Amino acid sequence: MRLADCRRIFPDIDALNAAAAARWVGIAQAAIEARGICHVVLAGGSTPRALYEMLAGPTWRGHIDWSRTQIWFGDERPVPPEHPDSNYRMAREAMLAQLAVPPDNIHRIEAERDPVSAARDYAARIAELLHPPHGYPPRFDLVLLGLGPDGHIASLFPGTPLLDEKSAWVGACEVSQLGVWRISMTLPVLDAARHLLLLTAGEGKAAIVHELVSGDVTGRVRYPVELLRPAGEFEWLLDRAAAGSAADC
Ligand code: 6PG
């Protein structure tokens, strides 16, 4: 998979979010029709906030059966749920508090606890509800990912041991560049998704996007996002500001 070949570039963040919302609606309707439930993994950070607000708004909210939606989190910072840095808090404020998602369908990572045991318990919760065949990772219907300026996805940062995790579904590790622990879903889980949407917006990402799209002549992997090997559908949604000169590649 070449990242550059998976790009969909939009004039601005509103157009990008409308496209992402439409994909979520289509994926959710197909999942609920096929399996009676849609399991969605939310991305954290700041980029997805406007998408979540859009989905909770009058244009989109009625197109998704929120009572049959299970909400999961791809990663979490080591803070309590009410902390300003919490990915759970961001999603709750932007979307979940406005929607009729049953509280039992919202699965927060308890990152205020010991990170290793919180990661283990989160994986156990995933197993309980998605119960994949023995030896296989869970298949979420939709996984949303953001992209860090260093090419990280979820909380899989350059140079951290979680990048090499091939069996655990959720892990915790210290991210020395941040000086904190993070909890994150691992590559086997992200790769197993039926649909992976990578959302990238703003000129602050133009440099990493250009790096990724122009590639490395040796073909070596330089950034965590380049480790993705999606088994399902993968789309990279960017706005023009992030796509920058890469759009001409
Ligand atoms: C997090 C996210 C992380 C995020 C990227 C991009 O917890 O921070 O899960 O992977 O998606 O860092 O963040 P922005 O969208 O804020 O640029």
Side-chain angles (χ1 to χ4, degrees):
M1 175 198 81
R2 284 186 70 248
L3 284 167
D5 298 337
C6 307
R7 284 175 295 167
R8 292 176 63 196
I9 298 171
F10 299 88
D12 54 41
I13 185 71
D14 288 342
L16 187 160
N17 285 335
R23 294 295 291 116
W24 181 324
V25 166
I27 290 163
Q29 289 175 347
I32 291 167
E33 187 176 330
R35 290 174 295 280
I37 195 77
C38 179
H39 290 277
V40 181
V41 177
L42 300 185
S46 56
T47 301
R49 179 187 287 270
L51 169 60
Y52 300 161
E53 289 167 347
M54 184 180 279
L55 283 160
T59 305
W60 295 98
R61 62 188 299 152
H63 294 285
I64 294 173
D65 183 346
W66 298 103
S67 70
R68 291 178 178 270
T69 300
Q70 296 277 344
I71 296 287
W72 303 85
F73 291 82
D75 69 320
E76 190 54 276
R77 291 85 177 278
V79 294
E82 67 279 0
H83 191 281
D85 289 349
S86 164
N87 287 334
Y88 164 79
R89 172 175 163 173
M90 183 274 280
R92 189 190 65 219
E93 289 177 347
M95 176 172 69
L96 299 175
Q98 285 72 259
L99 297 170
V101 180
D104 288 349
N105 289 16
I106 299 173
H107 309 287
R108 172 177 83 80
I109 299 174
E110 296 175 345
E112 67 278 16
R113 292 171 43 201
D114 164 66
V116 173
S117 60
R120 184 193 59 235
D121 292 350
Y122 202 61
R125 185 73 176 133
I126 293 170
E128 198 181 313
L129 271 76
L130 279 85
H131 40 78
H134 180 67
Y136 288 86
R139 291 198 73 192
F140 289 95
D141 295 294
L142 171 60
V143 172
L144 298 175
L145 290 174
L147 178 68
D150 58 358
H152 80 259
I153 46 176
S155 282
L156 303 176
F157 284 82
T160 58
L162 278 188
L163 290 175
D164 302 320
E165 181 55 61
K166 296 289 187 275
S167 55
W169 299 346
V170 185
C173 73
E174 183 167 13
V175 181
S176 56
Q177 27 306 40
L178 302 177
V180 293
W181 279 68
R182 285 285 190 100
I183 296 171
S184 183
M185 287 183 181
T186 59
L187 284 165
V189 173
L190 303 182
D191 284 340
R194 290 188 172 87
H195 299 270
L196 253 180
L197 289 188
L198 177 62
L199 309 175
T200 307
E203 59 186 17
K205 302 294 172 68
I208 186 63
V209 170
H210 183 71
E211 274 283 292
L212 292 169
V213 172
S214 48
D216 175 88
V217 291
T218 66
R220 67 189 168 86
V221 168
R222 301 155 297 161
Y223 304 100
V225 66
E226 293 176 316
L227 292 168
L228 283 172
R229 296 291 181 272
E233 183 183 49
F234 173 76
E235 292 177 282
W236 186 10
L237 280 57
L238 307 96
D239 67 358
R240 177 68 60 200
S245 58
D248 307 324
C249 284

